[in-house]
Amino acid sequence: MFQNKMKAARSLVLFALFALCGRLFAQSLSLLEQSAQKGQTLYWDTLTQSGALEKNGKQVYFRAGSNVILLDNERFAFTDAPQVSGGQIMVSQKFIQDSEEWFELRSAGGENFKVGAILIDPGHGGKDPGASMTHKINGKNVTIKEKDVNLSVAKMLAARLRTAYPQKQIIMTRDKDVFISLQQRTEIANSVKLKDHEAVLYISIHVNSSLDKKARGYEVWYLSPGYRRTVLDHGKADDPKLFPILNSMMEEEYTTESILIAKFIMDGLAAQIGNLSSPRGIKAEEWFVVRNSNMPSVLVEVGFVSNYEEAKLLNDESYLQKTAFGIYNGIAAFVTHFERSRGFTGTK
C-alpha cells in the first residue's frame, strides 16, 4: 500500500513538472521578434506591465500574467497569458495566432476611429467668479474675473474649431455667464452622443491665482495615473471578475491620450505666446471635473490673474486670441495624430 502511494505521489509530481515545463515552453516566443516579423508594432509600459500590439490601425491590449486581451476597446478574448522573463515579453504561439486573427478580421473592412466631438468647458460662471483680482491698468482700476477670461478664450476656441471641423460636434458646457455645477459639467461630457468608432475630447479652461505675485505662466493638467476611476460600462464585461482588468486597460489608454493632448496644447501655446508668458509644464492632479469624465481630458490654466503683468495680458483681447489659437493648434495636432493612427495613441 505504501509503495502504491509513493508511486502515485511520484506520478503527481511528474505530471506537475510536465505541466510546468509545458507552460514555460508555450511562452517561449519573444513578442518583440514575433511582432516585427508579422508587421505589428509593439508598445510596452514597464511601469504597469501592460502593452499593446498595433497593426492596420487596430489594437490588442494585454497585460503580463493575464490571459485576457482587449480588442480595440470593443470586446475581450482569452488566450495564453504573456510573461516577462529576462526583461523580455514572452508569449505562446496561441497568443500570436489569436492576435493575428483579430488583425486579419478587422483589416478587411474596419472603420477608422475619429474624433467625433470636442467639448470645451469654460470654468466657473454666474455666481461663481473663480479667481478674481483688481489691478490698475492704464490708470484705471480693472477687476479681472476668471469666469470672464475662461468664457472669452472658450468662445474664440470654439469658433476656430467649428470653422476647421464642420462635421464634428463642438460643444460648450456654457456659452454665457451662467453657473453650472461640476456635476452638471461632467454629466454634459458623459452624455455626448457619438457614432461607432468616434471619440470625444474634454478641454477645460481656467485661470490661475497665487499668493506669490511673481508666479506666472501657463500649464496643462491631466488626471493623475494614481487615481483609479470607472471608465468602462459594466455591460462590456460579461464576467464581473474581468471588469477591473478591462477597465484598467481602457483607463491607461485615456491617460496616455490625455498626456498627448496636454503636450500638443503646451507646444501650441508656446508657439503662439512666445516670450509674452512662460510654460510651466504638464502636470498631474485629481481634478474633479476631469476625473469623472469618461474620455481623454485636460485642464488648461492660461495664466495668473494674481500677477500684474500677466493680468494685463489676460485683459487684452489680442493676447486671448493668441491663447485660443495656441490651444486650437494643440487640439488640431492631436486630432490629426489620432485619426491618422486610426485611433491609437500609444507611445513606444
Side-chain angles (χ1 to χ4, degrees):
M1 177 69 72
F2 177 75
Q3 289 180 337
N4 289 338
K5 288 184 177 180
M6 288 296 293
K7 288 180 180 179
R10 282 198 297 269
S11 297
L12 287 172
V13 171
L14 288 172
F15 177 80
L17 287 173
F18 281 130
L20 178 60
C21 290
R23 184 180 177 185
L24 292 175
F25 180 75
Q27 317 292 10
S28 62
L29 301 175
S30 166
L31 184 56
L32 182 62
E33 294 177 1
Q34 291 294 312
S35 60
Q37 291 176 12
K38 295 186 175 297
Q40 303 168 0
T41 301
L42 172 63
Y43 301 86
W44 176 250
D45 185 343
T46 55
L47 183 63
T48 62
Q49 293 285 283
S50 62
L53 289 172
E54 189 269 341
K55 184 176 180 180
N56 298 326
K58 298 301 173 185
Q59 299 82 41
V60 172
Y61 299 92
F62 62 89
R63 176 171 291 168
S66 172
N67 67 340
V68 181
I69 54 177
L70 186 61
L71 310 172
D72 278 351
N73 289 330
E74 292 181 3
R75 66 185 75 173
F76 64 88
F78 296 94
T79 187
D80 293 339
Q83 305 293 333
V84 177
S85 177
Q88 291 194 65
I89 311 166
M90 307 303 291
V91 296
S92 67
Q93 185 62 43
K94 174 175 171 52
F95 181 95
I96 296 298
Q97 290 175 346
D98 289 344
S99 301
E100 191 63 17
E101 285 178 6
W102 175 252
F103 294 137
E104 291 177 358
L105 173 67
R106 300 295 290 171
S107 63
E111 289 186 55
N112 293 358
F113 275 81
K114 293 185 178 296
V115 173
I118 301 171
L119 195 144
I120 306 166
D121 175 39
H124 306 281
K127 65 181 182 181
D128 175 16
S132 177
M133 192 70 65
T134 300
H135 295 279
K136 182 162 288 188
I137 301 175
N138 297 327
K140 296 181 180 179
N141 287 329
V142 178
T143 299
I144 302 172
K145 298 178 181 179
E146 178 183 359
K147 66 175 183 177
D148 298 332
V149 176
N150 296 342
L151 185 58
S152 294
V153 173
K155 284 183 173 181
M156 296 171 186
L157 175 59
R160 288 187 178 275
L161 288 169
R162 285 171 181 146
T163 299
Y165 303 113
Q167 303 305 316
K168 300 184 188 301
Q169 300 180 66
I170 308 302
I171 304 167
M172 296 180 65
T173 56
R174 67 180 181 96
D175 58 8
K176 51 183 174 290
D177 186 19
V178 295
F179 174 77
I180 301 177
S181 69
L182 296 177
Q183 184 61 34
Q184 287 175 307
R185 295 172 196 270
T186 301
E187 290 172 356
I188 292 171
N190 292 333
S191 64
V192 175
K193 301 299 183 184
L194 297 170
K195 299 177 183 177
D196 290 341
H197 303 284
E198 283 189 343
V200 56
L201 311 180
Y202 187 100
I203 314 296
S204 190
I205 299 174
H206 286 255
V207 172
N208 230 328
S209 183
S210 174
L211 294 175
D212 180 4
K213 304 302 181 184
K214 295 181 180 179
R216 61 178 300 173
Y218 52 89
E219 57 196 23
V220 185
W221 295 78
Y222 69 94
L223 182 67
S224 168
Y227 179 84
R228 292 303 179 197
R229 58 180 175 173
T230 299
V231 297
L232 184 69
D233 184 347
H234 279 77
K236 295 278 187 178
D238 296 329
D239 186 346
K241 295 179 180 178
L242 295 176
F243 181 82
I245 299 173
L246 300 178
N247 185 74
S248 182
M249 287 180 177
M250 185 171 288
E251 180 198 15
E252 285 159 7
E253 183 188 358
Y254 283 169
T255 300
T256 299
E257 291 168 348
S258 297
I259 293 172
L260 196 56
I261 295 171
K263 180 184 182 303
F264 282 136
I265 289 178
M266 284 296 295
D267 291 345
L269 287 170
Q272 288 299 313
I273 292 174
N275 295 327
L276 292 175
S277 186
S278 55
R280 293 170 58 88
I282 300 170
K283 303 180 180 182
E285 187 53 270
E286 298 174 7
W287 295 97
F288 182 90
V289 177
V290 176
R291 76 184 185 187
N292 289 305
S293 55
N294 300 335
M295 62 201 65
S297 315
V298 296
L299 187 150
V300 186
E301 296 274 10
V302 300
F304 281 78
V305 71
S306 51
N307 179 281
Y308 176 68
E309 293 300 328
E310 200 146 84
K312 288 195 297 182
L313 292 174
L314 296 174
N315 192 53
D316 182 351
E317 185 175 350
S318 65
Y319 181 80
L320 297 185
Q321 285 281 5
K322 290 179 183 292
T323 300
F325 195 35
I327 298 173
Y328 161 78
N329 284 339
I331 295 172
F334 176 82
V335 170
T336 299
H337 174 85
F338 184 88
E339 295 183 346
R340 283 183 179 175
S341 64
R342 300 178 70 181
F344 191 67
T345 55
T347 55
K348 292 185 183 181

